[in-house]
Amino acid sequence: MIEAAAAFLAWLGAALVVLGDGRRSLGFGLFLVTVGFALLAWAGGQPAGAIAIAAGGLIGSARCWRTGATWGLMPAGSTP
């Protein structure tokens, strides 16, 4: 059950990264992907890998969050 929830978080984060229209949505998507992957690594018996994934992803997510002032998703019709 934990694996399914972690996989859903990673999927949701990747969807935000793809549909993000600002740095903050990119940062939040990266955060969700990081949490999902770290949980999957932890559940797979790799605590050192989970910590490494969490550290790198959270640093990257925080940097994206701090640098951007916008938030949003792409409006309908913005891509063909």
Side-chain angles (χ1 to χ4, degrees):
M1 189 66 176
I2 291 174
E3 291 87 0
F8 178 74
L9 274 178
W11 173 83
L12 185 63
L16 275 176
V17 167
V18 169
L19 296 175
D21 191 31
R23 295 272 184 187
R24 290 196 176 172
S25 59
L26 177 64
F28 187 62
L30 182 59
F31 171 76
L32 289 178
V33 169
T34 298
V35 170
F37 283 167
L39 285 174
L40 285 171
W42 192 277
Q46 299 292 326
I51 292 169
I53 290 170
L58 292 176
I59 289 170
S61 176
R63 290 181 58 104
C64 279
W65 187 266
R66 281 188 26 221
T67 60
T70 61
W71 172 266
L73 295 177
M74 282 194 245
S78 63
T79 58

